[in-house]
Amino acid sequence: MPEPSKKKLDLHRREMPKQPPEVRRRNFNEVALGYPVETAVEEAQRCLNCPKPSCISGCPVEIDIPRFIQCIAAKDFAAGIRVIKEKNCLPAVCGRVCPQEEQCEAACLLKKRGGQIAIGRLERFLADWEAAQGELEIPPVPPPTGRRVAVVGGGPAGLTVAGDLIRLGHAVTIFEALHKMGGVLVYGIPEFRLPKAIVHREVNYLRRLGVQIVTDFVVGKTRTVDSLLEEYDAVFIGSGAGLPWFMKIPGENLNGVYSANEYLTRMNLMKGFLFPKFRTPIKEHRRVAVIGGGNVAMDCARTALRLGAEVRIVYRRSREELPARAEEIENAEEEGVIFDFLTLPVRYIGDGNGWVKEMECLRMKLGEPDASGRRRPIPIEGSEYRLPVDAVVCAIGNSPNPLIAATTPGLEVGKNGNIVVDEETGKTSRERVWAGGDVVTGAATVILAMGAGRKAARSIHEYLCSL
Amino acid sequence: MAELRATQMLVPNMHLLTVFAPEVARGMRPGQFVIVRAEEEGERIPLSVADWDEAEGTLSIVFMNVGGTTNALAALPAGSTLPTVVGPLGKPTEIDHYGTVLCVGGCYGIGSIFPIARALHQAGNRVIVVLEARSSFLLFWEERLRSVADALHIITRDGSKGLRGHVGRLAEIIAAAQPIHRILVNGCTFLLKRVADVSKPFAIKTMVSLNPIMIDGTGMCGVCRVSVAGATQFACVDGPDFDGHQVDWQELLQRRKQYVREETLAYRSSRGEEHRICQGHAHA
């Protein structure tokens, strides 16, 4: 292999400016501020432009990463964003919420030396640069094929399928159950991590490409999948994982105990933090415990913090096993979220008026690794103690919403309620029906849902061309 | 989005909306509900449906003006647009040939018990309708309900019409009409609980249509959870109808009160004045 570059390796990853913790913990503005132009160019110039780039294989939607990075290095930002958009219709979203450290950046050759290229930050930079130029560039759409596709769910999977198929000339209609498009991007991920204006911008981009959008339409209730199949050549189900889990412990239905979905929906989709201008209320709690250790738990904790509460994350394993992104854990720590590791809630205690007042917890220790490869938490007998709380947010996971499976005869469903598909194509057990995203995998990440959407779109396109 | 075709105040504080929502009307069944937003900044609230016309593509919704959102809804003139009307949601009421059924409606439930009574009547049941109100001037749709009932009784708190007293007097109606094979109740949570209490000694299966706080109405947020027979159920997708003898009423009543303070605030700010809020205890 030839030397990739004569210059000395620059292993110094450029930092992205952030709002200082003491400021941002009092506002809902975006925490990370994005690279300034010079920093982005410097960071891009560190890329080795490997002849056999491994970063692309780390990207579920196969963005030509070295090519867009070279565009930034050459300061041709317009060309760079075009490269990304060949594969990704949501770059401003993915640049912010993808777990790049486990995907593209994990595969970067420089990672071994501790200086992997900040691919996500560069993707974000290009998307934001384009938005700052004013109008988004709308690529030409081919003549209509006359084929029609119904997409169920306006989240990351559905948006990707719609974006891919519209650019292949098929007519696409998205049916979204809520009143706003974006799925988890609008109801789940907080403003300070993903400003909603960015989601609306990217949804508008699809609209301008010609995608039809129907909100307030619950497939499985307003109409069934079978009824859509009478009108459309194919149906893609990307309805997400919207059924919250609870721990089934005493006191869980006390007032003040929320599912993460409820808490985040009140805050994000319904803008509870602007009550009463926005009508959906959220209580101002003093002591909030968030149960769980994933990204959703971090989002809930940091939201509660911004409403003025003392917030603790209660997690049954140790810091090492936290499933959240490293960056989000650090952000939470910087902002002042308290972490109670090796702690398991066993019951909630009410104040006599129906409100949660305390939670009883058990201390845990770690045993041998379990099926997940992580060390199993074991309760320490007699270690019960009580923690005063006036709100608890349960962020321990979600399974697929059963509405569609229950109303679609012949659709094969796994034991967790997930729709069973062929992994390569997204095909379900029903003719002309595809599925992808969290409804197939259970709660996962935005980019995995988009990757599934891309595979399904490819398979749907093949099918439509065969008609 | 749905066009508001007509509005009417049926009795003080009780409003009827006629909404053009053909996709929703097409699939509607007795006992189902819709989620409505009154304004762009508005919350999502569940409202029972009192009737629908598939050919016209319209829904009839009866609701009581009790909070910020219902107040905003009540103030909308015909011709305005509701940002959200989504449904039909929830499981339809089980309609079967039971024999004799008692349909009890109070408050807005006088509206939403109507399609249930009608469907039960069409299914060949002997239908006895009981309407409950504080006073005769708060009754509506009496003739409409009479048209689908074999008998109709009225209970008013002040005795201005029918039996005088609270819903406890239902016991006399039940005793006189035995055997009754099923009771169905629509109305505020307190009425539902009282009817379930009254019917329990008679051991008649009593289905109550619960109306807890909801946000999405599709099983996603979990705020509408209720304990039924010791297990947690989501009223929006597992209900809204449940066996009233199995519901944990104390928990449900407490959960419904979660946002009373905020509701009051929103209501006052939407009216620009202070106003007494009608709570379930009005029936006590």
Side-chain angles (χ1 to χ4, degrees):
Chain A
M1 207 197 286
E3 277 288 306
S5 161
K6 290 221 166 62
K7 69 185 180 209
K8 192 164 173 278
L9 284 184
D10 176 358
L11 293 172
H12 173 56
R13 241 168 100 95
R14 300 300 185 272
E15 282 309 313
M16 177 165 55
K18 291 198 281 193
Q19 281 196 70
E22 63 279 9
V23 174
R24 69 182 195 242
R25 70 195 297 274
R26 296 182 204 290
N27 69 50
F28 281 86
N29 300 335
E30 196 171 11
V31 166
L33 302 172
Y35 278 151
V37 175
E38 310 75 52
T39 317
V41 173
E42 277 172 30
E43 180 67 18
Q45 284 170 346
R46 295 203 302 119
C47 174
L48 302 177
N49 199 13
C50 309
K52 282 187 187 163
S54 48
C55 48
I56 302 179
S57 63
C59 173
V61 297
E62 300 155 17
I63 296 173
D64 190 341
I65 294 166
R67 195 150 60 90
F68 90 69
I69 292 182
Q70 293 315 308
C71 292
I72 300 177
K75 298 186 186 170
D76 188 353
F77 308 133
I81 189 69
R82 245 174 264 136
V83 171
I84 295 181
K85 284 193 165 179
E86 287 166 12
K87 298 286 186 181
N88 184 358
C89 57
L90 303 172
V93 173
C94 289
R96 286 170 167 82
V97 303
C98 273
Q100 292 100 7
E101 66 277 13
E102 294 166 16
Q103 294 174 333
C104 51
E105 293 179 16
C108 177
L109 275 192
L110 292 177
K111 181 174 167 78
K112 284 177 208 132
R113 313 281 289 269
Q116 69 273 29
I117 301 294
I119 298 168
R121 294 172 185 178
L122 291 174
E123 179 182 27
R124 169 188 165 142
F125 166 78
L126 282 180
D128 290 356
W129 174 86
E130 188 193 29
Q133 306 310 302
E135 285 291 281
L136 298 189
E137 192 177 295
I138 304 298
V141 174
T145 61
R147 301 295 170 201
R148 311 185 64 200
V149 181
V151 171
V152 182
L159 292 172
T160 304
V161 170
D164 284 8
L165 291 177
I166 196 92
R167 290 174 64 180
L168 292 163
H170 309 299
V172 183
T173 306
I174 303 181
F175 295 93
E176 165 57 45
L178 292 169
H179 57 273
K180 282 220 173 97
M181 285 288 292
V184 71
L185 305 175
V186 295
Y187 76 75
I189 301 178
E191 185 74 14
F192 54 81
R193 199 149 74 84
L194 178 66
K196 298 302 155 260
I198 288 171
V199 181
H200 301 327
R201 193 169 80 209
E202 305 213 344
V203 169
N204 269 334
Y205 169 70
L206 286 183
R207 207 178 257 135
R208 288 178 54 201
L209 281 172
V211 173
Q212 298 292 310
I213 288 171
V214 183
T215 51
D216 291 323
F217 194 106
V218 185
V219 175
K221 281 289 177 187
T222 311
R223 278 176 69 177
T224 60
V225 168
D226 282 289
S227 148
L228 292 177
L229 282 169
E230 289 168 14
E231 220 176 294
Y232 294 88
D233 299 295
V235 171
F236 173 82
I237 303 168
S239 51
L243 185 79
W245 289 349
F246 289 94
M247 290 172 67
K248 299 189 171 160
I249 58 177
E252 219 162 16
N253 289 349
L254 285 166
N255 291 353
V257 181
Y258 304 87
S259 74
N261 280 356
E262 181 194 348
Y263 193 72
L264 292 174
T265 301
R266 281 184 186 277
M267 289 299 290
N268 300 322
L269 180 71
M270 307 311 295
K271 305 249 179 293
F273 63 96
L274 297 174
F275 179 84
K277 181 179 184 292
F278 282 75
R279 301 281 185 206
T280 305
I282 190 87
K283 293 272 177 190
E284 286 181 24
H285 299 290
R286 280 189 309 127
R287 289 201 191 92
V288 179
V290 178
I291 317 300
N295 289 322
V296 174
M298 300 302 143
D299 286 345
C300 293
R302 297 171 66 201
T303 298
L305 198 83
R306 282 161 171 76
L307 289 175
E310 175 194 282
V311 185
R312 51 186 70 237
I313 294 249
V314 175
Y315 182 58
R316 61 187 183 141
R317 302 181 206 245
S318 74
R319 191 183 195 286
E320 243 167 75
E321 287 85 19
L322 277 176
R325 292 184 63 193
E327 188 180 327
E328 302 310 328
I329 299 165
E330 279 161 30
N331 281 335
E333 281 173 337
E334 284 174 12
E335 288 165 13
V337 173
I338 303 160
F339 285 78
D340 288 347
F341 294 113
L342 294 164
T343 304
L344 180 76
V346 289
R347 70 179 173 123
Y348 302 109
I349 300 150
D351 66 354
N353 288 312
W355 284 89
V356 66
K357 183 181 81 174
E358 285 178 299
M359 57 191 279
E360 188 170 296
C361 300
L362 270 181
R363 303 260 187 225
M364 311 289 279
K365 61 184 176 197
L366 289 180
E368 294 304 305
D370 62 12
S372 74
R374 298 176 302 175
R375 294 178 64 194
R376 183 196 304 274
I378 303 167
I380 300 172
E381 245 180 84
S383 66
E384 292 90 347
Y385 71 101
R386 288 185 180 191
L387 203 66
V389 287
D390 57 5
V392 174
V393 184
C394 206
I396 58 168
N398 298 289
S399 46
N401 190 301
L403 277 185
I404 288 175
T407 54
T408 312
L411 188 69
E412 196 188 335
V413 173
K415 69 174 190 312
N416 295 324
N418 54 308
I419 297 179
V420 176
V421 300
D422 176 281
E423 225 175 89
E424 279 316 299
T425 60
K427 274 186 187 161
T428 69
S429 58
R430 283 288 310 267
E431 287 269 316
R432 301 195 283 136
V433 179
W434 283 256
D438 283 4
V439 73
V440 168
T441 56
T445 63
V446 170
I447 193 70
L448 283 176
M450 293 180 64
R454 164 125 317 132
K455 283 182 186 170
R458 206 174 280 153
S459 170
I460 293 169
H461 176 59
E462 259 170 45
Y463 166 74
L464 295 176
C465 292
S466 76
L467 292 178
Chain B
M1 287 196 294
E3 189 200 326
L4 190 53
R5 285 276 166 91
T7 69
Q8 185 192 347
M9 186 157 92
L10 294 168
V11 294
N13 262 10
M14 199 74 70
H15 299 259
L16 168 68
L17 303 181
T18 309
V19 175
F20 181 66
E23 290 270 23
V24 184
R26 184 161 62 181
M28 206 71 205
R29 298 288 174 269
Q32 290 188 295
F33 64 92
V34 288
I35 291 263
V36 172
R37 270 190 321 143
E39 50 199 340
E40 266 316 316
E41 301 80 21
E43 56 183 337
R44 300 168 60 96
I45 60 161
L47 294 175
S48 307
V49 173
D51 207 357
W52 57 94
D53 184 328
E54 205 179 315
E56 291 283 316
T58 55
L59 304 172
S60 301
I61 300 169
V62 175
F63 66 93
M64 186 157 69
N65 182 349
V66 286
T69 297
T70 45
N71 194 48
L73 266 184
L76 289 175
S80 37
T81 301
L82 294 174
T84 292
V85 174
V86 56
L89 298 171
K91 288 182 180 163
T93 296
E94 275 178 42
I95 303 294
D96 206 339
H97 183 83
Y98 299 107
T100 298
V101 293
L102 198 66
C103 293
V104 185
C107 296
Y108 62 86
I110 295 177
S112 53
I113 201 72
F114 168 68
I116 295 168
R118 178 175 57 191
L120 287 164
H121 193 72
Q122 282 166 356
N125 292 283
R126 180 167 164 255
V127 175
I128 302 170
V129 168
V130 180
L131 305 182
E132 189 268 356
R134 268 190 294 136
S135 183
S136 60
F137 75 92
L138 294 171
L139 290 165
F140 58 95
W141 280 21
E142 195 183 320
E143 287 319 305
R144 193 186 287 223
L145 277 151
R146 209 180 285 282
S147 73
V148 296
D150 297 277
L152 184 137
H153 301 274
I154 288 168
I155 302 172
T156 52
R157 286 278 308 282
D158 62 1
S160 51
K161 194 163 193 181
L163 294 172
R164 179 195 180 111
H166 58 66
V167 90
R169 298 211 64 178
L170 189 64
E172 296 157 44
I173 298 170
I174 294 174
Q178 282 275 47
I180 290 170
H181 302 97
R182 183 168 283 230
I183 299 176
L184 299 100
V185 202
N186 276 36
C188 71
T189 308
F190 197 80
L191 175 79
L192 304 179
K193 176 187 184 303
R194 289 302 304 267
V195 173
D197 289 346
V198 170
S199 72
K200 200 164 185 181
F202 293 94
I204 303 166
K205 182 140 182 175
T206 301
M207 298 302 287
V208 294
S209 175
L210 300 186
N211 188 1
I213 299 171
M214 293 183 188
I215 302 179
D216 64 296
T218 65
M220 189 267 271
C221 79
V223 62
C224 67
R225 57 198 194 274
V226 290
S227 295
V228 182
T232 294
Q233 306 270 326
F234 290 178
C236 67
V237 287
D238 302 319
D241 291 355
F242 293 100
D243 181 339
H245 298 151
Q246 307 279 344
V247 170
D248 182 338
W249 291 105
Q250 196 197 346
E251 179 189 283
L252 177 63
L253 286 163
Q254 275 167 348
R255 288 190 65 78
R256 278 194 53 91
K257 282 193 258 177
Q258 283 184 74
Y259 293 100
V260 164
R261 207 178 68 88
E262 289 77 8
E263 278 291 323
T264 312
L265 205 73
Y267 186 64
R268 283 177 186 162
S269 84
S270 75
R271 287 181 74 105
E273 60 172 273
E274 206 169 302
H275 197 277
R276 181 171 170 273
I277 298 218
C278 176
Q279 288 291 323
H281 55 72
H283 296 274

